[in-house]
Amino acid sequence: MSKPRLLATRPLFEPVRNLLDDHFSMEYWTNPERIPRAELLSRVAGKDGLICLLTEKVDEELLSGAPNLKLAATVSVGFDNIDVAACTRHGVVATNTPGVLDETTADFAWVLIFAVARRLLEGVEMIQSQTWKGWDLDQLCGADVWGKTLGVVGFGRIGRAVARRARGFGMKILYSDALRVAEEVEREASAQYVEFDRLLSESDFVTLHVPLLPSTRHLMSTPQFARMKRSAFLINTSRGPVVDEAALVAALDSGKIAGAALDVFENEPNVHPGLLGRKNAVLTPHIASASLETRTKMAMIAAQNAIALFDGRRPPNALNPDVLEKSRG
Ligand code: DGY
């Protein structure tokens, strides 16, 4: 029997390729430039499955041009690139990669918190430009992190992993979420549930860990920045459009907040020009989960989802398992 034909929009990693090549007839997009949309549409057209990145949209147009497609596996936990309802209509199982990137992403949220609070980049620049004249009492004085209040917006796996680390810094931990978590989870994280507005007004660091949904788009905009302390910092490792970048720039310009550290942007790879070149904005290119171990695990999970589906099993991370019920029923 011939192997199912899959397109992967990146070469992935060697151990993952080895596994995929055993099970499927694979086509990898290996060009260092990301796959152009037209190329994606034409290459996926005759395939049974697609392994893609969060930068590739799986939408009505793609699905209707790929009538044999049974799987769309994104190598990311966020799946706002996939129109899951359209996948369901087309009988395509969509999968993501939850679980393996929580700790790595939480580590990076702390990289950003410290970098922005302790003016890391200005210090590095002083050394690199050879403008450092030696120790001075008021040189690059930033803000303390230890003992402050951390506000975690979105208390899922990643938000909780960020909160767990805060205990080591003796911080007070507040969280807000659509739903309050169980008491033992709050106890384990030493976190207190508060309404979003209260979190904004009491936190020294507001860190975002929500998925991108219609309800979270521009969750942080002018009224929210106005509620924050003037000494507070915003951290975003979730999705760019959760923050209204124009409003953020205005808040930074007017001193409504002290600074921001962002790993994600509203219109990637573009960055609002008002964020560039500022001392109080630390900007990184969507790398919060980018350790080799974690990215390899993410790709491996996408591969395992594919193998499960084409073996006739339920993929562990199916986002629309109802497709499988229907095809069986
Ligand atoms: C995700 O997985 O959604 C991240 O944004 C990239 O790791």
Side-chain angles (χ1 to χ4, degrees), residues 54 75-78 97 101 238-239 286 289 295 298:
L54 58 84
V75 186
S76 57
V77 64
T97 64
L101 50 78
S238 64
R239 281 291 181 268
H286 205 149
S289 68
R295 288 284 170 89
M298 289 163 67

Side-chain angles (χ1 to χ4, degrees), residues 200-267:
L200 292 174
S201 60
E202 292 186 11
S203 298
D204 299 299
F205 298 91
V206 172
T207 182
L208 305 177
H209 302 286
V210 291
L212 179 60
L213 302 168
S215 58
T216 60
R217 186 173 289 272
H218 286 192
L219 183 69
M220 292 300 301
S221 191
T222 307
Q224 288 71 37
F225 293 123
R227 276 195 185 97
M228 286 174 68
K229 295 181 185 177
R230 294 180 92 82
S231 56
F233 297 89
L234 174 75
I235 319 298
N236 191 10
T237 52
S238 64
R239 281 291 181 268
V242 173
V243 174
D244 176 349
E245 277 178 7
L248 172 60
V249 168
L252 290 168
D253 282 345
S254 60
K256 286 223 155 41
I257 67 169
L262 311 172
D263 184 51
V264 287
F265 301 91
E266 241 190 296
N267 188 22

